[in-house]
Amino acid sequence: MAAGVAAWLPFARAAAIGWMPVANLPMPVAPAEKNKRQDELIVLNVSGRRFQTWKNTLDRYPDTLLGSSEKEFFYNEETKEYFFDRDPDVFRCVLNFYRTGKLHYPRYECISSYDEELAFFGIVPEIIGDCCYEEYKDRKRENAERLMDDQEDNKDAKLPNMTFRETMWRAFENPHTSTMALVFYYVTGFFIAVSVITNVVETVPCGSAPNQKEVPCGERYTVAFFCMDTACVMIFTVEYLMRLFAAPSRYRFMRSVMSIIDVVAILPYYIGLVMTDNEDVSGAFVTLRVFRVFRIFKFSRHSQGLRILGYTLKSCASELGFLLFSLTMAIIIFATVMFYAEKGSSSSKFTSIPASFWYTIVTMTTLGYGDMVPKTIAGKIFGSICSLSGVLVIALPVPVIVSNFSRIYHQNQRADKRRAQKKARLARIRITKTGSSGPFIHGKRNGLFNEALDLTGSNEEEQRLSKSTSLIESQHHHLLHCLEKTTNHEFVDEQYYQQSYLEAGLQNYPSRSPSLSSQDGVTGTCCTRRSKKRHTPLPNASGPAHMQPLSHTHTQGLQELSTIHIQPLSTSRSSLNMRVDEQAALNCQGSQIITAIISIPTPPVTTPEGDAHLPTGPTHQNVVKVSAL
Amino acid sequence: MSTVRHRPEGLEQLEAQTRFSRKELQILYRGFKNECPSGVVNEETFKDIYAQFFPQGDASTYAHFLFNAFDTDHNGSVSFEDFVMGLSILLRGTVQEKLNWAFNLYDINKDGYITKEEMLDIMKAIYDMMGKCTYPVLKEETPRQHVEVFFQKMDKNKDGVVTIDEFIDCCQNDENIMRSMHLFENVL
């Protein structure tokens, strides 16, 4: 219930008079307002700045520091005010929360100091209003990440009792951890560089003997290059096997991109070893050597930048795809046009449309090699249109891609953020909704337990229980209770409703005899209540607290029940009484009701399934209880 | 958001017209103004406020009838005067006045008779506030049956409508109803 709306509670209760002529049952007694005093002003002195407010305003949230008796600890007798040695700026927000029911988060405030103040005053941050909630959560996450980054730097501290395998893995992943790891890191980096340079130099023509044509170095110094290659591949193989051994999850490691690159880098060598100098496959063998260039990708383990670039391309894939698609469209269009324009001229290089693709691409990207030029006038006209439009087609998407990239990158992060926040917010709203009805359903138990205790005359528990509910809450519960009486139905929570809805098909209501109900109603429930006080290990009730004190408070009212109530309800009324006894074991300890806006309903202590699904169970329990007297 | 602003009549006048004391009027106005800074409540706000008290069900239909009952001059908004007059009757009025007010609430078209259709509408509105999760499960014909019981009790001459006299007579003879009329006397 929002704070301001609490002021309308008298109106809602007055309007309840509209139900009275319609109701067939007697109404419950209104909660008594003990100690009704006139509203007074309270002075709150926060570090010298004085705030004043009505006492009622603070009482709206009885589970916070200012709303409960906890503030008495801060009362200063001489100056007759409450003194808090805290930040007055944040206190402004806190006090506004009481006044308006909405908690705001000021942007200029540091998130941790704000959190500390909220914690001091006993306010749950989840009730920050929608206007400020996103900002709050963003700042909080930033802060948490910053703390996590600080922690990660300390994570390199060696944990005791790490197995050799784990040590090795840590050495591979974070080379800074030990000297050995650093050495290994640099050695592999060196060998990758050596291997790549070898591949490149292999093809350079070396000095030749005067009588031979130029041969690449690879064929001149075959043995040397072969030894280099072998050495590199051996190092890479050893490295790969060591990583495979050390990986915590070998399957996942083998699937990772880096290990695939490793395999692709060393495989051609082994395949080459295995394959003999067979003429047929030597062509394929040459192709395999191309894959040796993938060794350069092994550098991405050593370079953060490469990794980011790879991720960028991956995330930008759709935009790149669109660019490619639009380019392809333009190329096809212009190639077709150029082909048909140049068809007429003789010795034209534009032999077919696919042949014109090359001209179109070269022209549109403004390369202009000049190996294919149009000769006809129409061809030249279309050629110039092609090159002009090429500038547009290429130049336009590129900035779009660049900005798209940065937009998509941030947007992805923000979308995930928003999704997570939305889930959290929906959960929050759901908790508020169930929270506002939850206390009622639990309050019914305790409130009527109160009345029961009045009848049986035990005082101390009553006082304890009445302390836990604020006056506003008890008035609100009384209002809802009047509505129940008017309509002759009860509020239950979702869980129980679904159970009973299912069992409506299972159970056979008319089989219950009405006589059992009235008997139980008058004698059973009153007595079971008392008997429960002795039998503590009885199962506690699950969510729906049934109103067995319906019959409790007005025992003569029960007779009226059986005469006045509507026929079809009679059988269910009887089963209600059954159900009531079976489930009616109250928390004799009197659970504290949390009357905050967010109140998590107290979890049921026992398993409701056992209780609810036995149609015959209640009968037995009924009998037992009655005879236990 | 309209810029309607309404300032209520002075405290003395309201004190004279209603049965509230000065302090009570002050408290009432503070709560009223907090929720409706413009000084009048329109039907939407009214429904929102009333719905907050009944989280499990749908209180909008009943709030609509209530709104019509409070909006005595039928201008589409409830000012503080209307509000306080209504509350004065409900909280401090005689039983006769309260029953009159209830009759006025039920008589939707204000023709002086409560027909079964009107009563059915009101009944459905009340049951709507209970929501879905009730025990026993709410059935379709429950409001109708409730209306039947009501008419059996109230409609003395069985002419299908309940007049104000039949209503007041019957209520005064019903002990439960009489007792419940005094339930909210110490609300403020």
Side-chain angles (χ1 to χ4, degrees), chain A residues 8-9 11 13 17-19 21-22 24 33 36 38 54 476 480 486-487 489-492 497 576, chain B residues 23 30-31 35 46 53-54 56 62 70 90 106 123 127 130 132-136 138 146 184 186 188:
Chain A
W8 285 67
L9 190 56
F11 154 71
R13 301 182 71 210
I17 291 201
W19 310 332
V22 168
N24 301 320
E33 293 179 44
K36 188 167 179 208
Q38 289 295 347
W54 298 107
H476 187 203
L480 291 173
T486 309
T487 57
H489 285 65
E490 286 175 5
F491 287 112
V492 297
Y497 167 71
L576 170 63
Chain B
K23 274 226 152 26
R30 286 206 286 261
E35 202 62 26
F46 198 84
F53 295 103
F54 302 97
Q56 284 199 319
Y62 188 71
F70 269 89
L90 286 172
Y106 299 151
M123 201 62 78
Y127 274 90
M130 291 293 293
K132 198 181 51 147
C133 300
T134 59
Y135 187 87
L138 266 182
H146 204 152
F184 295 112
N186 56 347
L188 205 54

Side-chain angles (χ1 to χ4, degrees), chain A residues 176-372:
Chain A
H176 321 285
T177 47
S178 72
T179 328
M180 271 305 299
L182 215 52
V183 162
F184 182 76
Y185 177 77
Y186 282 127
V187 161
T188 45
F190 172 71
F191 271 98
I192 294 175
V194 160
S195 154
V196 168
I197 292 175
T198 314
N199 283 347
V200 164
V201 167
E202 240 182 13
T203 58
V204 169
C206 290
S208 61
N211 52 345
Q212 285 176 309
K213 66 176 172 62
E214 294 228 341
V215 290
C217 286
E219 286 177 23
R220 191 142 167 212
Y221 303 103
T222 319
V223 175
F225 277 106
F226 182 71
C227 289
M228 289 282 272
D229 206 18
T230 312
C232 292
V233 168
M234 261 176 28
I235 302 268
F236 296 152
T237 316
V238 164
E239 181 209 350
Y240 179 70
L241 289 174
M242 271 169 51
R243 277 183 203 260
L244 190 61
F245 167 68
S249 157
R250 295 214 173 106
Y251 177 61
R252 202 157 49 100
F253 172 73
M254 290 210 328
R255 277 192 321 173
S256 73
V257 175
M258 288 311 303
S259 82
I260 292 179
I261 290 179
D262 287 340
V263 167
V264 167
I266 58 182
L267 219 45
Y269 177 80
Y270 287 111
I271 294 181
L273 276 187
V274 165
M275 278 200 307
T276 55
D277 283 312
N278 201 337
E279 299 299 314
D280 300 331
V281 298
S282 65
F285 175 62
V286 167
T287 322
L288 273 180
R289 301 193 104 197
V290 170
F291 283 95
R292 288 190 305 173
V293 79
F294 277 85
R295 286 180 198 166
I296 205 169
F297 283 116
K298 284 168 72 75
F299 267 129
S300 55
R301 266 214 191 91
H302 298 252
S303 156
Q304 172 85 342
L306 265 180
R307 281 204 296 266
I308 289 180
L309 183 64
Y311 172 72
T312 304
L313 287 175
K314 197 165 51 151
S315 67
C316 227
S318 69
E319 308 309 294
L320 286 174
F322 171 70
L323 172 62
L324 216 58
F325 177 68
S326 61
L327 266 180
T328 312
M329 260 178 32
I331 286 172
I332 294 179
I333 291 175
F334 278 107
T336 313
V337 165
M338 288 309 294
F339 171 70
Y340 283 113
E342 285 289 303
K343 204 162 176 200
S345 87
S346 56
S347 76
S348 140
K349 295 239 173 69
F350 295 80
T351 50
S352 66
I353 294 187
S356 314
F357 282 166
W358 173 244
Y359 169 76
T360 319
I361 291 176
V362 165
T363 314
M364 281 181 88
T365 52
T366 69
L367 275 176
Y369 287 136
D371 52 347
M372 282 164 84

Side-chain angles (χ1 to χ4, degrees), chain B residues 87-104:
Chain B
L87 273 190
S88 167
I89 295 177
L90 286 172
L91 298 178
R92 302 282 160 90
T94 64
V95 174
Q96 181 88 359
E97 288 171 347
K98 289 181 189 173
L99 290 175
N100 243 328
W101 189 91
F103 185 85
N104 196 33

Side-chain angles (χ1 to χ4, degrees), chain B residues 134-174:
Chain B
T134 59
Y135 187 87
V137 179
L138 266 182
K139 302 196 182 55
E140 278 293 316
E141 64 271 9
T142 316
R144 196 175 295 275
Q145 288 167 341
H146 204 152
V147 170
E148 290 300 324
V149 170
F150 179 79
F151 264 77
Q152 263 178 359
K153 212 170 27 151
M154 301 275 168
D155 189 10
K156 287 289 172 346
N157 55 1
K158 304 291 173 218
D159 58 355
V161 292
V162 177
T163 63
I164 178 85
D165 302 309
E166 288 176 338
F167 183 72
I168 294 187
D169 266 335
C170 189
C171 287
Q172 280 177 334
N173 292 335
D174 187 327

